[in-house]
Amino acid sequence: MTTRKRVCVVGAGVSGLAAANAFARHGHEPTVYERAADLGGVWEPSRSYPGIKTQSPKDLYCYTSRPMPTGYAEWPSGREVYEYLRGFAEENGLMAHISFGRSVVRAERREGGGWEVRTRCRNGGEATSSFDALVVASGTFNEKNSPRHPGQEDFETNGGRVLHSSEYTDPAMVADKDVVVLGFSKSATDVAVSAAKAGARSVAIVYREPVWRIPYRFAERINFKHILYCRASEAMFPGWNTGGAGRVAYALAKPAIWANWRALETLLDRQFGLTKLGMRPSVPIEDAISCGLPIATEGFYEMLHAGRITAHRGTFEHYEPGTVVLTGGERLAIDVAIQATGWTLGVSYLPRDVLDTIREADGQYRLHRLAASPDVPDLGFVGFNSSFATVLTSEISAEWLVRYMDGTLARQPTPEAMNAAIDAHLAWRRRVRPAAQVYGGLCSAPYHFRYLDELLADIGCRERRGGILAETFLPPSAAAYGRYLASAPAYRAA
Ligand SMILES: Cc1cc2nc3c(=O)[nH]c(=O)nc-3n(C[C@H](O)[C@H](O)[C@H](O)COP(=O)(O)OP(=O)(O)OC[C@H]3O[C@@H](n4cnc5c(N)ncnc54)[C@H](O)[C@@H]3O)c2cc1C
């Protein structure tokens, strides 16, 4: 038996809902503060651009207890994901725990443990409440990154418009306009394709470097989940905590692995016509596969080949009325700039001393299992383990976190053991896998199985794997992870 805790959860996106559900299920009292008027986070309809859909296939983007409806497309639309999340919250009684329109502006640690959390509502009113634990689920796509360029004010005064990609919510905003999209992420190509379909007069995309993109279907047929989401493909990346035998096996297989990646590059080049477009990346694809790896927006490369979208290397240098000038001197006609320049991970409500404890000088986070700090035991993170199957990784890490905070993990780590594991993990990222340093190192892709194996083993799940063939060659199944969790020792807080 553990003590019933009052837990503050920041954010009601995928991860905040997973956290609230895990803590409520285990007898605690979660209060979720959500600054928006609705739940869903990046899937909340007022934040979504037209045509938004998941990168993950639907059976990899769901909670263990609730499959996505059979009527949904293989890659559900933003609206469908939002409705799915709302259904999950209602089904599990989470709505009563959520306080909407309330931003967490400050969290102070109490002497002896626990938190004083200050929130602000939309009319400016503030309130402070006390909690035993704080769960950060405010997302890694949290604060808009909206760079300003010289001449922007003059450009806007003369009728030009500058939007962040999340502010482009209606195709009417770009109809009959000259549109320039800045950036080359999935959002950038989604927005460019959407604008072209919406009847923009011209659509240009401005980017620094070509990047590898994965198609929804390889060779137009094979769902990418069958190629990139299984233990067999995960084994082609050097992992952490690999013993001597594993390292020898990896070294022996290296030439075959190398040939496999080159074959994949050739396939992608052919499928998208990258060389013809002058867009074949120079970085080896295996070094690029991490949380930032985008899926190719359907129609994007076809529109480039057809000239419906034009692509320009560089970035914005400055604006003039009706024109944007690029760093290479190129001038583009422009009415609307859409900056698909991403988001920053904002946890500014945490105290400075806590931030200094959980983050190293180079920005890498010191979180055990990407969820907990050994030095601040009443602070947890859910969703700071970005993956290609975030709903599942958030749910399992929330289930890990509640047990960690209750001290009921089967492998409950000591602070010393956590620090040693963090040091080893950081050393591995820096030396072996620099790509794993994206998002402050808060990325579990492409090591979904390895990462989830560790969480399940810590939790004490007796069942952790399916049959050998399925386990080696099939993508993770959310329902199976539900069974694995159910095989963990049961407990309930007092
Ligand atoms: C366009 C797009 C497509 C994506 N597609 C996929 C995909 O297919 N597969 C995949 O695995 N991932 C995908 N992702 C990644 C996505 O971020 C995660 O899948 C997941 O939705 C993140 O959920 P979250 O709850 O961790 O964060 P968020 O969705 O960002 O939710 C955080 C919530 O916290 C709230 N909040 C923030 N700060 C505060 C504060 N101070 N006080 C109160 N509330 C606060 C925010 O308003 C927000 O509602 C995609 C992301 C984007 C942007």
Side-chain angles (χ1 to χ4, degrees):
M1 282 286 201
T2 55
T3 318
R4 183 179 174 87
K5 294 188 184 68
R6 277 173 50 79
V7 180
C8 172
V9 177
V10 190
V14 160
S15 307
L17 296 178
N21 193 40
F23 278 90
R25 238 168 51 80
H26 289 285
H28 296 296
E29 212 184 310
T31 298
V32 182
Y33 291 121
E34 170 52 61
R35 68 181 174 195
D38 205 345
L39 55 73
V42 303
W43 305 107
E44 201 255 299
S46 71
R47 271 183 70 174
S48 302
Y49 49 78
I52 189 171
K53 64 179 189 176
T54 66
Q55 309 209 95
S56 308
K58 66 176 180 182
D59 51 353
L60 296 175
Y61 202 70
C62 60
Y63 299 106
T64 56
S65 61
R66 187 179 167 91
M68 287 238 176
T70 43
Y72 278 19
E74 176 68 351
W75 288 277
S77 67
R79 180 85 214 175
E80 287 174 326
V81 177
Y82 163 77
E83 279 164 9
Y84 168 82
L85 295 175
R86 199 165 178 100
F88 176 79
E90 283 165 0
E91 178 177 276
N92 291 288
L94 303 180
M95 297 304 282
H97 293 282
I98 308 175
S99 184
F100 288 108
R102 231 168 224 292
S103 292
V104 171
V105 289
R106 192 89 197 128
E108 293 289 352
R109 236 177 142 220
R110 287 195 310 244
E111 209 146 302
W115 296 84
E116 295 292 314
V117 176
R118 194 156 83 240
T119 56
R120 186 177 299 144
C121 64
R122 292 184 161 197
N123 65 14
E126 293 199 355
T128 302
S129 301
S130 304
F131 294 93
D132 302 306
L134 176 65
V135 176
V136 174
S138 46
T140 48
F141 298 116
N142 186 341
E143 310 290 348
K144 282 176 213 167
N145 176 35
S146 299
R148 281 190 78 80
H149 297 94
Q152 182 169 329
E153 207 175 317
D154 207 18
F155 169 71
E156 288 178 305
T157 311
N158 283 278
R161 226 173 149 187
V162 180
L163 304 168
H164 184 266
S165 55
S166 63
E167 294 160 349
Y168 165 55
T169 50
D170 182 352
M173 291 170 161
V174 296
D176 296 319
K177 306 271 193 241
D178 291 317
V179 178
V180 181
V181 180
L182 177 62
F184 212 40
S185 61
K186 165 82 166 20
S187 306
T189 57
D190 280 356
V191 164
V193 168
S194 166
K197 287 183 179 164
R201 189 165 39 231
S202 67
V203 180
I205 190 162
V206 174
Y207 70 105
R208 287 182 196 274
E209 294 289 333
V211 295
W212 291 108
R213 287 170 200 281
I214 299 300
Y216 283 99
R217 292 183 194 279
F218 281 99
E220 315 290 350
R221 299 167 75 94
I222 305 164
N223 188 326
F224 77 92
K225 70 182 176 187
H226 297 302
I227 297 191
L228 289 180
Y229 274 97
C230 55
R231 281 188 193 270
S233 58
E234 201 171 299
M236 291 197 289
F237 297 95
W240 66 89
N241 273 354
T242 308
R247 282 200 298 275
V248 171
Y250 185 80
L252 290 174
K254 223 170 167 182
I257 292 172
W258 182 91
N260 180 70
W261 292 126
R262 303 294 75 76
L264 183 63
E265 288 177 352
T266 305
L267 183 73
L268 294 176
D269 193 351
R270 289 222 183 112
Q271 182 162 345
F272 296 137
L274 299 178
T275 301
K276 203 166 159 200
L277 289 167
M279 283 188 166
R280 189 181 160 119
S282 51
V283 60
I285 191 164
E286 63 271 34
D287 292 346
I289 295 182
S290 190
C291 283
L293 182 82
I295 298 292
T297 305
E298 280 161 315
F300 174 66
Y301 287 109
E302 290 82 348
M303 285 188 180
L304 284 178
H305 284 288
R308 283 183 70 193
I309 298 173
T310 57
H312 309 262
R313 283 290 276 274
T315 183
F316 289 4
E317 209 274 321
H318 70 272
Y319 289 101
E320 292 171 10
T323 302
V324 62
V325 181
L326 306 188
T327 35
E330 205 174 346
R331 302 171 69 84
L332 301 175
I334 180 170
D335 298 311
V336 183
I338 303 181
Q339 303 199 125
T341 35
W343 304 82
T344 54
L345 192 163
V347 281
S348 53
Y349 50 83
L350 290 178
R352 186 77 253 162
D353 59 326
V354 168
L355 286 172
D356 289 345
T357 304
I358 61 172
R359 232 170 21 201
E360 300 232 323
D362 64 356
Q364 295 291 294
Y365 277 72
R366 291 188 62 78
L367 295 180
H368 186 53
R369 307 292 191 237
L370 307 178
S373 161
D375 304 311
V376 196
D378 49 13
L379 173 67
F381 292 76
V382 175
F384 282 59
N385 51 359
S386 289
S387 75
F388 299 154
T390 306
V391 185
L392 182 61
T393 47
S394 285
E395 178 180 343
I396 307 290
S397 70
E399 289 287 337
W400 182 93
L401 185 66
V402 62
R403 289 165 172 86
Y404 165 75
M405 286 188 167
D406 284 346
T408 60
L409 284 171
R411 298 195 311 198
Q412 186 73 22
T414 60
E416 296 72 33
M418 289 165 80
N419 270 317
I422 291 169
D423 286 338
H425 198 86
L426 284 172
W428 165 81
R429 269 189 232 151
R430 291 182 178 125
R431 193 169 31 85
V432 182
R433 187 83 189 141
Q437 295 186 78
V438 291
Y439 304 159
L442 299 170
C443 168
S444 56
Y447 300 96
H448 301 93
F449 287 99
R450 180 180 286 262
Y451 175 63
L452 292 173
D453 282 351
E454 287 186 335
L455 296 178
L456 293 181
D458 289 351
I459 290 172
C461 298
R462 284 178 282 271
E463 204 184 329
R464 299 215 298 269
R465 290 186 178 209
I468 182 131
L469 274 180
E471 199 61 29
T472 308
F473 296 109
L474 291 182
S477 148
Y481 275 88
R483 288 197 304 279
Y484 306 158
L485 275 179
S487 75
Y491 79 96
R492 200 177 163 75

